[in-house]
Amino acid sequence: MLNRISLRQMEYFVATAKHGSIATASAQIHISSPSISAAIAHIEAELSVQLFVRHPSKGLGLTAVGTLVLQQCEDVLSQSSRLYEIAAESSAAIQGSLRVGSFQSLTAMIAPEVIFGFSRAFDRVELQMVEGDQEVLMNKLRALEIDLAITYDLHQGDDIEFECLATLPPYVLVGEVHPMAQLRTITLEELAPQPLVLLDLPMSRDYFTSLFAKAGLTPNIVARSSSTEVVRSMVANGIGYALFNIRPKSNLSLDGKRTVRVRLAGENRPMLLGLATYKAMKQSRLTRVFMERCRAYISDQYIPGMSSSAFFDRYVSGS
């Protein structure tokens, strides 16, 4: 059961229980209230229990079973932290050089908490992060220039081992004033004649255009960029729509204009986010410990820097 409840969700629940308020917990741990609410709702659904009761004047109070769940969550979180302490205190302490590849459009969200959080936890680790598109990362794995990569399941080859950690379905991104911004969902057939701003990265562009090809459609590509933020800015300024899988928590482009996420209808192949390693390269203990951190921090329920897969845009009426 607990493999469907992440450590991060437990942390959000514990913080809320301690502060008696989602808003206060949000301010203390610097996580949005909707993310905390979603984590609590997920735990309640998984365990089929009610964790809190709402008192109009006193905020949230734990139910009887909520108190028991709180104790267990605190124990699990304590034991999880102790795992790292034991490793660091052992005679073969975690140390050495670790080279981590990161898919470039993911780096801004993944790197601070997952990658560099690891080097902060283990100050004897010399960490090097290498950004690149999928082609660059796969080549560096084969050349033994990186130890592993946090990336997608795109054209890897039989010599690459891939472990999926999270599923990222495609969605449509439009500017705030775009007519499609008011839609709940949109089909590929409706999108095909509309102007598309394509994220033009090796293999990524093949993935996005393949969604149309599978439906016997040809997209109307009017602009391209290898930069996620450039694509988002062009979309925010009305040049066209874009397709993405990553879900930044901010819905603003770098020039301050708002974007809106719209669900893409139909059964569309998602991107799988996970860990890629070179099969011929034996993983060091340091690499294995880092991979364990990734498994604890990245899941369908929580991905650092990303909003929930169920979240689109609340400010849009009827979304």
Side-chain angles (χ1 to χ4, degrees):
M1 181 68 72
L2 285 180
N3 65 350
R4 296 195 296 268
I5 300 175
S6 69
L7 295 176
R8 186 64 62 187
Q9 290 170 328
M10 293 185 196
E11 289 177 357
Y12 294 175
F13 163 59
V14 170
T16 302
K18 288 184 178 296
H19 294 289
S21 162
I22 289 177
T24 304
S26 173
Q28 290 295 319
I29 64 178
H30 307 293
I31 298 296
S32 70
S33 294
S35 295
I36 296 176
S37 296
I40 293 171
H42 178 81
I43 296 175
E44 289 181 324
E46 284 293 329
L47 301 180
S48 299
V49 299
Q50 181 180 353
L51 298 175
F52 293 103
V53 292
R54 184 178 297 278
H55 303 294
S57 60
K58 297 182 180 179
L60 296 177
L62 284 167
T63 62
V65 69
T67 300
L68 296 176
V69 173
L70 173 64
Q71 294 171 353
Q72 292 299 315
C73 285
E74 288 179 323
D75 288 345
V76 170
L77 292 172
S78 176
Q79 291 170 13
S80 175
S81 298
R82 183 57 184 157
L83 287 176
Y84 287 103
E85 293 174 8
I86 291 172
E89 293 167 359
S90 69
S91 58
I94 300 302
Q95 58 184 313
S97 176
L98 180 67
R99 304 161 301 170
V100 180
S102 177
F103 193 89
Q104 61 192 64
S105 62
L106 293 167
T107 303
M109 289 165 280
I110 295 291
E113 189 170 343
V114 177
I115 299 177
F116 289 100
F118 184 79
S119 63
R120 288 194 298 269
F122 300 106
D123 56 10
R124 297 174 68 180
V125 171
E126 181 183 345
L127 190 145
Q128 177 187 0
M129 185 187 72
V130 178
E131 291 183 78
D133 58 43
Q134 188 76 344
E135 185 175 10
V136 168
L137 295 179
M138 295 303 102
N139 288 338
K140 286 188 176 295
L141 278 175
R142 294 183 176 100
L144 307 184
E145 294 177 7
I146 56 176
D147 300 302
L148 77 163
I150 302 176
T151 188
Y152 294 120
D153 63 325
L154 293 173
H155 304 287
Q156 294 165 339
D158 294 337
D159 57 342
I160 300 296
E161 186 77 34
F162 181 79
E163 177 184 348
C164 176
L165 301 180
T167 302
L168 299 177
Y171 67 88
V172 180
L173 188 74
V174 296
E176 180 179 17
V177 299
H178 195 287
M180 292 191 295
Q182 299 301 321
L183 300 178
R184 286 178 176 270
T185 61
I186 190 166
T187 66
L188 287 168
E189 288 77 10
E190 293 170 311
L191 284 176
Q194 299 291 328
L196 167 63
V197 181
L198 181 66
L199 180 61
D200 195 11
L201 292 171
M203 302 184 195
S204 293
R205 58 175 170 260
D206 297 334
Y207 163 78
F208 290 121
T209 55
S210 72
L211 299 177
F212 292 94
K214 185 178 179 181
L217 301 168
T218 302
N220 177 21
I221 301 171
V222 298
R224 302 167 181 259
S225 176
S226 61
S227 165
T228 300
E229 290 303 333
V230 171
V231 172
R232 285 171 58 84
S233 292
M234 286 196 282
V235 167
N237 282 274
I239 294 172
Y241 73 91
L243 293 172
F244 281 110
N245 298 84
I246 58 173
R247 308 182 298 264
K249 289 185 176 180
S250 172
N251 58 8
L252 298 178
S253 63
L254 289 182
D255 61 357
K257 293 184 175 64
R258 189 184 296 273
T259 61
V260 176
R261 289 202 292 275
V262 181
R263 290 177 177 86
L264 181 61
E267 296 295 325
N268 301 294
R269 178 188 179 278
M271 288 272 212
L272 302 183
L273 170 62
L275 301 171
T277 54
Y278 186 41
K279 289 181 179 179
M281 182 179 180
K282 184 178 180 181
Q283 297 167 10
S284 67
R285 179 168 178 263
L286 176 56
T287 300
R288 295 195 301 271
V289 172
F290 178 78
M291 293 175 72
E292 283 298 327
R293 177 183 179 86
C294 292
R295 296 182 187 111
Y297 276 75
I298 302 174
S299 69
D300 283 333
Q301 288 73 43
Y302 175 80
I303 302 174
M306 290 195 205
S307 62
S308 165
S309 59
F311 166 69
F312 278 74
D313 292 278
R314 301 176 192 83
Y315 85 96
V316 177
S317 176
S319 65

